[in-house]
Amino acid sequence: YKRQLQADLDYIEGLGVDIQNNTTGSKDFAIDGLLKEGYAAVFIATGSHKSVELNLEGKELEGVFQALDLFRRLSMGEKISLGEKVAVVGGGDVAIDAARTALRLGAKEVHILYRRSRVEMPANPSEVREAEKEEVKIHFLVNPTKILGKNGRVTGINCIRMELGERDETGRRRPISVEGSDYTIEIDTVILAIGETSDLSFLPKDVIVSKNNTIAVDPITLETSLPRIFAGGDVVSGPASVIEAVAAGKRVADSIDKKLRGENIE
């Protein structure tokens, strides 16, 4: 995939696009400052590359990873040992990817802990089936309550069984703890994969952010509350597919083109 990525980058650069690596918003440049420097428009497509934090006792122990950080470190070539027994907390595609990655890193036993049932599991069903074929153990209706450790290192994870109650604001039935159903799994490593969100710390204060920590945009033009600044992809929709992000990029390109030409955007 790295060869394909490089081929795509070479193609883009061949079109005349200037790619500046190792630059960070608010540190190396300001979004609104780009407009002052003479850029006619800015498109923000920074994605959802920040893990949602889980308030779980013991998360600071050695052997606890945020899934996205683990993937990032592995992609940079870092050698990471996860031990023989791994627990993954979450039920989305990232959780499935983390579990299957753990197997490929040498784990003998991988457990996914998901607090709802298979029906509510947001991960792609075909990916779930593939993980189960590889003998990933999925524990449905289970919620971790505490990560256990000794001498600063993970040794296990306490869990409690759940049952489904009334539907919540997401339309899914709310998981409720079953009193007295606590149990412990001996674990070498815990990977937290409960969701992804966007890092919006670099945004100008005039750009409106939704309550879901995404950038609010015009539904037609994808322009933000700050004129000539556009946004699209996961940073607007929340975590979604590459296909949807590419589609947003094409819509924004069309919007910027029409805006600079003085045409109406419909």
Side-chain angles (χ1 to χ4, degrees):
Y1 77 93
K2 289 185 178 180
R3 286 196 299 270
Q4 183 59 56
L5 175 60
Q6 189 59 54
D8 289 343
L9 292 173
D10 291 341
Y11 173 74
I12 292 170
E13 288 184 306
L15 295 174
V17 175
D18 175 34
I19 301 176
Q20 297 186 20
N21 297 311
N22 300 314
T23 55
T24 304
S26 74
K27 177 183 177 183
D28 299 307
F29 64 91
I31 295 294
D32 48 351
L34 294 174
L35 298 178
K36 296 175 183 177
E37 292 176 21
Y39 288 93
V42 176
F43 175 36
I44 301 171
T46 50
S48 296
H49 59 271
K50 181 179 178 183
S51 294
V52 173
E53 291 288 336
L54 180 63
N55 186 23
L56 185 63
E57 184 178 349
K59 65 179 182 180
E60 75 288 344
L61 290 167
E62 183 182 354
V64 178
F65 296 88
Q66 294 285 353
L68 295 186
D69 180 58
L70 175 64
F71 294 157
R72 189 176 298 112
R73 291 167 61 182
L74 289 171
S75 69
M76 296 295 289
E78 185 174 344
K79 302 297 182 182
I80 298 176
S81 174
L82 301 182
E84 293 191 352
K85 297 182 179 180
V86 175
V88 179
V89 180
D93 289 328
V94 173
I96 298 297
D97 288 345
R100 300 178 73 184
T101 297
L103 288 175
R104 286 154 180 74
L105 290 175
K108 304 297 184 186
E109 197 174 294
V110 179
H111 303 261
I112 291 179
L113 310 178
Y114 179 55
R115 63 181 186 155
R116 288 185 167 96
S117 71
R118 183 185 293 270
V119 173
E120 288 83 17
M121 197 173 195
N124 186 308
S126 65
E127 294 293 322
V128 175
R129 289 192 293 270
E130 288 301 314
E132 290 180 315
K133 285 181 182 178
E134 294 180 345
E135 298 189 354
V136 170
K137 297 176 175 62
I138 304 179
H139 302 245
F140 295 104
L141 292 170
V142 166
N143 201 39
T145 57
K146 181 181 179 181
I147 300 174
L148 306 175
K150 185 177 181 180
N151 299 323
R153 172 81 198 183
V154 171
T155 58
I157 187 166
N158 274 355
C159 302
I160 190 167
R161 301 193 186 281
M162 313 293 286
E163 60 184 8
L164 297 180
E166 298 298 322
R167 298 188 184 280
D168 61 18
E169 63 279 0
T170 68
R172 296 182 296 175
R173 294 174 64 190
R174 187 186 303 276
I176 302 170
S177 301
V178 177
E179 188 175 350
S181 64
D182 305 73
Y183 69 100
T184 300
I185 304 175
E186 291 184 5
I187 289 295
D188 300 312
T189 298
V190 175
I191 303 174
L192 304 177
I194 64 166
E196 303 79 50
T197 189
S198 298
D199 181 357
L200 304 179
S201 59
F202 64 93
L203 288 180
K205 64 180 185 302
D206 294 328
V207 173
I208 295 176
V209 175
S210 76
K211 64 180 181 180
N212 295 322
N213 197 49
T214 56
I215 298 176
V217 297
D218 182 287
I220 303 299
T221 66
L222 300 187
E223 190 171 20
T224 71
S225 54
L226 196 58
R228 295 192 291 148
I229 294 181
F230 298 76
D234 290 3
V235 76
V236 169
S237 65
S241 69
V242 172
I243 294 173
E244 291 168 282
V246 170
K250 291 184 176 181
R251 285 178 60 195
V252 168
D254 185 56
S255 293
I256 292 175
D257 180 62
K258 288 179 177 177
K259 189 176 186 71
L260 297 184
R261 292 174 183 270
E263 301 176 9
N264 292 326
I265 304 174
E266 298 179 355

